[in-house]
Amino acid sequence: MSERTHIVTRVVSVLAATVISLACGTNYAYSAWGPQFAERMRFSSTQSNLIGTFGNLGMYGGGIPVGILVDSKGPKPGVILGGSLMGSGYFAMHRAFESGPGSIALPWLCFFAFLTGIGGASAFSGSIKTSALNWPTHRGTATAFPLSAFGLGAFFFAFISNVAFPDNTSSFLLLLSLGCLSFCYLSVAFLRVVPQTQLYTPVATNEERRSSNLLRRTKSKDDKTHHHNEEPGTLSTDPHASPPLRHNLDGSSKTVEPPDKLLDETSSLMSRSSNSTPGDVPYADDRTEPSAHHNSHHLDIRGFALLKQTEFYQLWLLLGILTGVGLMTINNIGNDASS
């Protein structure tokens, strides 16, 4: 792949992720159709808020499982799943609005709202990860586009609905269903994680250069077994595959990962190197496990170890309080305006 094609592919992937994020942000458009939906179905404000709450529960509660899905299978399955869930959830809401009160019970409507939330989280996770991996040294700028589209998704669809068919909640719900489905399905074809083939590696010493010149005999059949037409980022299915070893003169050996494995669809977004800054491409020899005795000012606390930190609970409570107030305002802004 030429340099120009490499850049164009990465730019197109960011644009596709931005379009997908427009569909993912439709969960915040609930206040635009929630009051009319509650009036049509003869729901109280509490029942209407319960539907919106389940949408938020799917969006934020489903982040962990869909994140695991995206890390293990890549962004495309997450985007396809998200588009399907959002399209089916909004379409069920559309059919309920058309049928009138008593056609679908409240628990089912809450379940459909939950599907739209978890679908938005799934597709958004795939779009964000694709943008971050394609631009490892410009992650902030690359992820800013889908993040902005995610926040403007509700405004985008509400504006189109207001221009095309004003005061028509049924058509608005149908627009959300078809729009989310088409945005995800059409854009996923352009969503690609391009392997970073031109990574900088430390210059070898004189002894390593002389060591690398040593030749060894290989068998052609062994070489063929290590070539697979797998999608970049998926886990290898060859049980005999192993990373190559670099042998030194003193008899020691070091595992060397191929360049296309340094950054792919299953790579972590966090650099393990304590000497690198956020966004740096990791060096081939600079990917060591964090050590408690390492003289680094960057703390590396993860997993259940976070539960022992006071700062974890402070951030958890702070974010929970702030986001809770924001979601309450978003879900009730339609009722506030009508009253």
Side-chain angles (χ1 to χ4, degrees):
M1 181 183 296
S2 62
E3 183 68 20
R4 179 178 178 83
T5 305
H6 189 270
I7 296 177
V8 170
T9 304
R10 292 192 294 167
V11 171
V12 171
S13 295
V14 171
L15 295 179
T18 303
V19 174
I20 293 172
S21 298
L22 282 174
C24 300
T26 53
N27 189 45
Y28 296 119
Y30 177 74
S31 59
W33 58 271
Q36 296 87 342
F37 187 83
E39 182 180 0
R40 169 66 173 170
M41 304 299 291
R42 297 177 184 176
F43 288 153
S44 63
S45 297
T46 303
Q47 292 173 319
S48 177
N49 277 321
L50 188 62
I51 298 176
T53 300
F54 269 86
N56 295 327
L57 182 63
M59 170 67 70
Y60 300 104
I64 295 177
V66 298
I68 296 175
L69 171 67
V70 170
D71 284 339
S72 60
K73 301 298 182 181
K76 289 186 178 181
V79 173
I80 294 175
L81 176 63
S84 302
L85 293 179
M86 287 188 291
S88 59
Y90 284 123
F91 186 77
M93 294 287 188
H94 163 72
R95 293 302 302 168
F97 188 89
E98 288 288 324
S99 301
S103 57
I104 300 180
L106 179 63
W108 280 109
L109 294 176
C110 293
F111 173 72
F112 295 140
F114 180 82
L115 292 183
T116 61
I118 196 172
S122 179
F124 186 62
S125 297
S127 63
I128 282 292
K129 185 162 188 179
T130 301
S131 301
L133 291 181
N134 278 335
W135 300 91
T137 58
H138 302 84
R139 290 174 181 170
T141 304
T143 56
F145 287 94
L147 281 172
S148 300
F150 179 80
L152 296 174
F155 170 77
F156 175 80
F157 281 94
F159 177 78
I160 294 180
S161 176
N162 187 48
V163 172
F165 24 81
D167 300 329
N168 193 335
T169 306
S170 178
S171 299
F172 184 30
L173 290 172
L174 184 60
L175 173 67
L176 291 175
S177 175
L178 298 179
C180 293
L181 193 66
S182 59
F183 276 21
C184 292
Y185 275 33
L186 295 178
S187 300
V188 73
F190 305 96
L191 200 67
R192 293 182 55 192
V193 175
V194 184
Q196 306 297 319
T197 56
Q198 296 184 353
L199 298 176
Y200 293 100
T201 56
V203 180
T205 61
N206 293 331
E207 293 183 356
E208 291 175 342
R209 290 196 187 100
R210 289 193 298 267
S211 166
S212 62
N213 291 331
L214 298 178
L215 301 179
R216 64 184 182 90
R217 180 174 300 176
T218 59
K219 298 180 181 180
S220 58
K221 63 178 182 180
D222 295 338
D223 181 68
K224 292 179 181 179
T225 57
H226 291 80
H227 290 80
H228 300 277
N229 296 324
E230 297 179 352
E231 183 181 358
T234 57
L235 298 178
S236 176
T237 57
D238 184 10
H240 303 287
S242 59
L245 296 177
R246 184 174 65 190
H247 298 277
N248 299 327
L249 291 180
D250 57 356
S252 61
S253 60
K254 182 183 296 184
T255 302
V256 180
E257 305 250 349
D260 59 341
K261 294 298 182 183
L262 296 181
L263 198 62
D264 55 18
E265 294 181 1
T266 57
S267 300
S268 173
L269 297 182
M270 300 297 295
S271 176
R272 294 173 179 263
S273 174
S274 60
N275 298 325
S276 60
T277 58
D280 286 345
V281 180
Y283 291 108
D285 293 338
D286 196 22
R287 298 187 317 279
T288 57
E289 292 293 333
S291 174
H293 303 285
H294 197 280
N295 296 326
S296 173
H297 62 280
H298 297 291
L299 293 179
D300 188 9
I301 304 174
R302 63 184 71 185
F304 290 103
L306 290 172
L307 301 178
K308 302 178 181 179
Q309 302 297 321
T310 307
E311 292 80 1
F312 168 75
Y313 295 99
Q314 293 175 349
L315 291 174
W316 183 54
L317 291 175
L318 181 63
L319 291 176
I321 293 173
L322 294 179
T323 55
V325 173
L327 292 176
M328 179 187 67
T329 304
I330 291 174
N331 290 339
N332 291 276
I333 194 67
N335 294 325
D336 295 342
S338 60
S339 61

